[in-house]
Amino acid sequence: MNKRKATTLKEIAKKLDISISTASRALNNHPDISDATKEKVQQLAEKLHYSPNLFAQGFRTQRSHILGVIVPNIAHYFTSTILKGILKEAETKGYKVIVSESNNNENKQSEMLRTMSQFGVDGILLALSRKTTSVDSILNTLDTVPLVLFDKVSHKIPCTQVVVDEEIAAFNAIEHLINTGKKRIAIIKETENSFNSEKRFAGYLRALKEHNIEVDKKIILSTEDVSLYKGRMMTNILLSLKERPDAIFAITDTAAIGAIKALHKYNIKIPEEIAVVGFSNSIHATIIQPSLTTVDQPGEKIGKTAVMYLIKEIESNKNEITTKTVTVKTHLIVRDSSFKV
Amino acid sequence: MNKRKATTLKEIAKKLDISISTASRALNNHPDISDATKEKVQQLAEKLHYSPNLFAQGFRTQRSHILGVIVPNIAHYFTSTILKGILKEAETKGYKVIVSESNNNENKQSEMLRTMSQFGVDGILLALSRKTTSVDSILNTLDTVPLVLFDKVSHKIPCTQVVVDEEIAAFNAIEHLINTGKKRIAIIKETENSFNSEKRFAGYLRALKEHNIEVDKKIILSTEDVSLYKGRMMTNILLSLKERPDAIFAITDTAAIGAIKALHKYNIKIPEEIAVVGFSNSIHATIIQPSLTTVDQPGEKIGKTAVMYLIKEIESNKNEITTKTVTVKTHLIVRDSSFKV
DNA sequence: AAAACCTATTCAAACGTTTGCGGGAATAAT
DNA sequence: ATTATTCCCGCAAACGTTTGAATAGGTTTT
């Protein structure tokens, strides 16, 4: 690599026998510059493949045109879908995106927030790591650089948050089960302080209430991590009950798939005996047999809107923190695990 | 956000009544500086949460400590696994990573290479977009900035490349099938100029040859995109043959799953009647029934080694292009679709 | 004809860091 | 005592860009 040095403003200025400042202003379309010289400069710049030295520019303006993204796990399908949306929108708005994984480690998350802000990103997009207990570091970076939360959020942090209509989604899912004649609907959820899980649980409760179905705590199961394995274990528990449920709503697709596997083992007919509904519309949903009814979350849209709000906040350089929750709509995808045609 | 300005070298220097340059050198552990002052400076820097202005630094040194990554599709599981490795290794080496998606669009890929190099990344990691025909733009950026290819590579580009032992992996997969008694092994592969597919095909051929099995072109099927749908279609074709195969090797897990679905439809016993082997060890492999025998590609390791080589190239600022192919080992994971215990 | 006002341009400073060079003080060699 | 050497440190330039202020020339207003 011969690192042929890039053309600079100075060279352009010299060739056209004008000052560096006019060259700069001409390229930035400054009103003070005559159309004639603007034309000249822009043409020469084009010809010499001029592109501003991003460091000099960023150094001068303190704007990097870089967005930082921190997610718990990049290999999670839904997350990568969001990332897709983020990348796309950022690109069209002229921003680059640097991404980091917190691996659900709160300390690492704090560390990353710090290094990103001192790195000079213009804004940060953050999906909270599981069990983020101390929001101090986040509040800290919040008064250094604009930040918007998405997917995994917390109302303890005053900033704009982009989420999915978890409660309504869960409500619709449960109502769908009720409409297919199910009356005893179990739920596999996360333990307490998962924002998403609690919202979905609320939707579950509301649906039961509106349809006058009494809640039975025996079929409300909680677990630390809603994995495939835990999905199996939980349904094993459900199957051991005297009164088995006739449907299972798992807070997560992987848990739902675990449930299906457990039901398979006991040769229980899905959905006739027990229906299963998941949440996320993961890629597995159509792989598993029977195909899984689940809630589709528009990942790309989430990413896109998160970027939109972040950039809006960046470019209106008001120093006030806007705290606003944007909700993106989901929709239920009915497949064989809950209703066969 | 009050944008409380960061502490600068000047402030540290003033407080300690030394010059800016000594402060700088003290922090960079320059031999000219006495241990005493180094100590002083570093302590104060720590106390004031000093962190160098990355722009000024990058501006001065023309080093950004940013790596650029371009992949066809970030939501592809294997890709995101590689990314994981990249992020991890880059972080430990003190680099940030900006990522872009080419969406398998060659023009976009070129565009991204250009903007990344003019953006000032220190190096680029690239997984070629499908059907990259013109390598000109790549050769162009290659003499501006160090570049290493991974996963989707091309020998037309003189640079270090990190790949998987595709040929051996395929060979082992086929040999495994032969060892289980299969004699008529079909392959579902990609059409021509996919580097990966051709390598795997070569392994297939070699395995047959070494075991004195004649190749039958009727059971060698090619397709443009090895999707689930195409996997189904191809196996439908295979099932319509007078002489059906007794095993199917699909170049890709998704196609293998398509094959399994097709076999299910015709109630063909897997693996007794027809065995199936895939490639990639996607997350689906254990979801599908029967679980899929497949080749595990160590994504994280690929990402990690790619970063290692790239950084090595960056930091030894020899201006020569090193062209070297690093091969990462895979291993076959035998599951129910090829061999039941 | 002087004053006021545009218009198009240039000057020069500034952003924070790194680094070649020079120099003073202390120590060692002659 | 003089010279050479070593050890620390400061000076000042430089990187490329943006931008407030100044300026020159030209036009309009009084």
Side-chain angles (χ1 to χ4, degrees):
Chain A
M1 12 159 190
N2 291 324
K3 275 281 184 186
R4 49 148 192 258
K5 68 189 180 334
T7 56
T8 122
L9 270 189
K10 201 197 290 186
E11 294 171 22
I12 292 184
K14 193 175 291 177
K15 283 209 176 156
L16 262 52
D17 202 37
I18 57 177
S19 77
I20 295 176
S21 22
T22 39
S24 170
R25 281 190 246 257
L27 288 172
N28 292 334
N29 208 27
H30 192 285
D32 271 5
I33 306 297
S34 72
D35 292 347
T37 46
K38 271 181 192 171
E39 188 74 8
K40 265 196 315 186
V41 173
Q42 282 164 5
Q43 278 189 3
L44 184 60
E46 183 76 19
K47 189 173 149 221
L48 299 182
H49 300 110
Y50 168 78
S51 75
N53 179 318
L54 274 291
F55 288 114
Q57 211 167 40
F59 175 43
R60 182 59 228 260
T61 61
Q62 294 298 351
R63 285 277 309 279
S64 61
H65 288 267
I66 300 179
L67 267 30
V69 177
I70 304 174
V71 294
N73 179 1
I74 199 178
H76 191 293
Y77 180 69
F78 178 52
T79 303
S80 63
T81 303
I82 297 178
L83 219 46
K84 239 179 148 63
I86 291 176
L87 292 179
K88 206 171 184 180
E89 182 68 12
E91 194 193 359
T92 71
K93 293 279 174 65
Y95 283 78
K96 301 265 174 241
V97 176
I98 78 182
V99 336
S100 285
E101 261 188 326
S102 68
N103 288 315
N104 275 318
N105 177 333
E106 189 174 358
N107 291 334
K108 213 165 176 187
Q109 178 177 279
S110 302
E111 168 76 9
M112 281 166 174
L113 284 169
R114 230 173 40 95
T115 65
M116 277 201 178
S117 106
Q118 81 180 211
F119 185 80
V121 297
D122 286 349
I124 295 180
L125 294 161
L126 172 63
L128 253 31
S129 114
R130 195 197 307 278
K131 300 250 174 110
T132 297
T133 53
S134 149
V135 294
D136 290 359
S137 67
I138 300 170
L139 296 179
N140 255 330
T141 75
L142 189 53
D143 65 41
T144 301
V145 57
L147 179 134
V148 350
L149 295 176
F150 64 94
D151 191 29
K152 314 280 186 218
V153 305
S154 159
H155 287 329
K156 289 185 203 151
I157 304 168
C159 66
T160 98
Q161 329 214 344
V162 180
V163 291
V164 133
D165 57 358
E166 314 265 4
E167 200 268 354
I168 296 173
F171 178 88
N172 290 337
I174 302 300
E175 194 163 56
H176 158 71
L177 286 171
I178 294 171
N179 288 341
T180 64
K182 301 298 184 181
K183 298 200 151 45
R184 189 165 164 71
I185 303 169
I187 182 171
I188 299 175
K189 69 180 195 70
E190 241 173 300
T191 47
E192 74 263 24
N193 53 20
S194 154
F195 177 86
N196 308 56
S197 176
E198 286 309 298
K199 286 280 179 191
R200 292 171 201 178
F201 183 46
Y204 166 83
L205 290 178
R206 184 163 66 88
L208 293 191
K209 190 173 180 186
E210 290 196 9
H211 288 271
N212 297 312
I213 298 178
E214 58 175 331
V215 314
D216 179 353
K217 286 190 181 165
K218 287 199 291 298
I219 56 174
I220 297 177
L221 301 181
S222 299
T223 166
E224 279 278 335
D225 57 318
V226 279
S227 60
L228 195 148
Y229 173 74
K230 284 295 174 62
R232 286 182 87 133
M233 292 306 106
M234 297 286 118
T235 68
N236 283 341
I237 292 174
L238 289 173
L239 292 178
S240 71
L241 294 176
K242 274 150 293 179
E243 287 186 288
R244 285 183 176 175
D246 54 13
I248 300 175
F249 174 50
I251 226 68
T252 228
D253 269 12
T254 45
I257 287 168
I260 289 178
K261 295 231 169 206
L263 296 179
H264 273 322
K265 190 144 194 175
Y266 290 95
N267 284 317
I268 291 170
K269 280 194 188 133
I270 308 172
E272 294 82 355
E273 293 178 63
I274 299 183
V276 178
V277 172
F279 203 114
S280 263
N281 194 24
S282 74
I283 19 177
H284 298 317
T286 57
I287 300 291
I288 190 79
Q289 200 75 10
S291 59
L292 182 66
T293 294
T294 186
V295 174
D296 183 51
Q297 301 172 277
E300 289 203 34
K301 191 169 180 193
I302 294 172
K304 179 178 171 176
T305 59
V307 170
M308 278 173 43
Y309 280 94
L310 181 59
I311 291 182
K312 201 198 285 182
E313 217 162 297
I314 292 170
E315 299 191 342
S316 86
N317 36 19
K318 306 199 185 79
N319 281 3
E320 63 214 17
I321 36 183
T322 61
T323 152
K324 160 176 191 173
T325 299
V326 184
T327 307
V328 177
K329 276 194 188 128
T330 61
H331 76 282
L332 187 71
I333 300 182
V334 176
R335 296 204 185 90
D336 295 346
S337 73
S338 73
F339 185 69
K340 272 185 182 148
V341 271
Chain B
M1 23 177 167
N2 291 324
K3 275 282 185 186
R4 47 145 198 260
K5 65 189 184 332
T7 58
T8 119
L9 270 189
K10 201 196 292 185
E11 295 172 20
I12 292 184
K14 192 175 293 177
K15 283 209 176 156
L16 261 53
D17 202 36
I18 57 177
S19 77
I20 296 177
S21 24
T22 40
S24 169
R25 280 188 250 254
L27 288 171
N28 293 334
N29 208 27
H30 193 284
D32 270 6
I33 306 298
S34 71
D35 291 348
T37 47
K38 271 183 193 170
E39 188 73 11
K40 265 197 313 183
V41 174
Q42 282 165 3
Q43 278 189 3
L44 184 60
E46 183 77 20
K47 189 172 150 226
L48 299 182
H49 301 108
Y50 168 79
S51 76
N53 178 316
L54 274 292
F55 288 114
Q57 208 169 40
F59 175 43
R60 181 61 227 261
T61 60
Q62 293 298 349
R63 286 276 309 278
S64 61
H65 288 268
I66 300 179
L67 267 31
V69 177
I70 303 175
V71 294
N73 179 2
I74 198 178
H76 192 291
Y77 179 69
F78 178 52
T79 303
S80 63
T81 302
I82 297 178
L83 219 45
K84 239 178 147 63
I86 291 176
L87 292 180
K88 205 169 182 180
E89 183 68 10
E91 193 193 0
T92 72
K93 292 279 175 65
Y95 284 77
K96 300 263 173 242
V97 175
I98 77 181
V99 337
S100 285
E101 261 188 325
S102 68
N103 288 314
N104 275 318
N105 177 334
E106 188 174 0
N107 291 334
K108 212 164 176 189
Q109 178 177 279
S110 303
E111 168 76 10
M112 282 166 173
L113 284 168
R114 229 173 37 95
T115 66
M116 277 200 178
S117 105
Q118 82 178 213
F119 185 81
V121 297
D122 286 348
I124 295 181
L125 295 161
L126 172 63
L128 252 31
S129 115
R130 195 198 307 279
K131 299 249 175 105
T132 296
T133 54
S134 150
V135 295
D136 291 358
S137 67
I138 300 169
L139 296 178
N140 254 329
T141 74
L142 189 54
D143 65 42
T144 300
V145 56
L147 179 134
V148 350
L149 294 177
F150 64 95
D151 190 31
K152 315 281 186 217
V153 305
S154 160
H155 287 329
K156 289 185 203 150
I157 304 168
C159 65
T160 97
Q161 328 214 346
V162 180
V163 291
V164 132
D165 57 357
E166 313 265 2
E167 200 267 353
I168 295 172
F171 177 87
N172 289 338
I174 301 300
E175 194 163 57
H176 158 71
L177 286 171
I178 294 171
N179 288 341
T180 64
K182 302 297 184 181
K183 300 199 148 48
R184 187 163 166 72
I185 302 169
I187 182 171
I188 299 175
K189 69 180 194 71
E190 242 172 300
T191 46
E192 74 263 24
N193 52 20
S194 153
F195 178 86
N196 309 55
S197 177
E198 286 308 299
K199 286 280 179 190
R200 293 171 201 179
F201 184 47
Y204 167 85
L205 291 178
R206 183 163 67 88
L208 293 190
K209 190 173 181 186
E210 291 197 7
H211 288 271
N212 296 313
I213 298 178
E214 58 175 331
V215 313
D216 180 353
K217 285 191 182 163
K218 285 200 291 298
I219 56 173
I220 297 176
L221 301 182
S222 299
T223 167
E224 279 277 334
D225 57 317
V226 280
S227 59
L228 194 150
Y229 174 76
K230 284 295 175 61
R232 287 181 87 133
M233 293 305 106
M234 296 287 117
T235 65
N236 283 340
I237 293 175
L238 290 172
L239 293 177
S240 71
L241 294 176
K242 274 149 292 179
E243 288 187 288
R244 286 183 175 176
D246 55 12
I248 300 176
F249 173 50
I251 226 67
T252 228
D253 269 11
T254 46
I257 286 168
I260 289 178
K261 295 231 169 206
L263 296 178
H264 273 321
K265 189 143 192 172
Y266 290 95
N267 283 317
I268 291 170
K269 280 195 188 132
I270 308 170
E272 293 82 356
E273 293 179 62
I274 300 183
V276 178
V277 172
F279 204 113
S280 262
N281 193 24
S282 73
I283 20 175
H284 298 317
T286 56
I287 299 290
I288 190 79
Q289 201 74 12
S291 59
L292 181 67
T293 294
T294 186
V295 174
D296 183 51
Q297 300 173 277
E300 290 202 38
K301 189 167 182 192
I302 294 172
K304 178 178 171 174
T305 60
V307 169
M308 278 173 43
Y309 279 94
L310 181 59
I311 291 182
K312 200 197 287 181
E313 216 161 296
I314 291 171
E315 300 191 341
S316 86
N317 36 17
K318 306 201 187 77
N319 282 3
E320 65 214 15
I321 36 182
T322 59
T323 151
K324 159 176 192 174
T325 298
V326 184
T327 306
V328 176
K329 274 192 189 133
T330 61
H331 76 283
L332 188 70
I333 299 182
V334 177
R335 297 206 185 89
D336 295 345
S337 73
S338 73
F339 186 68
K340 273 188 183 147
V341 273

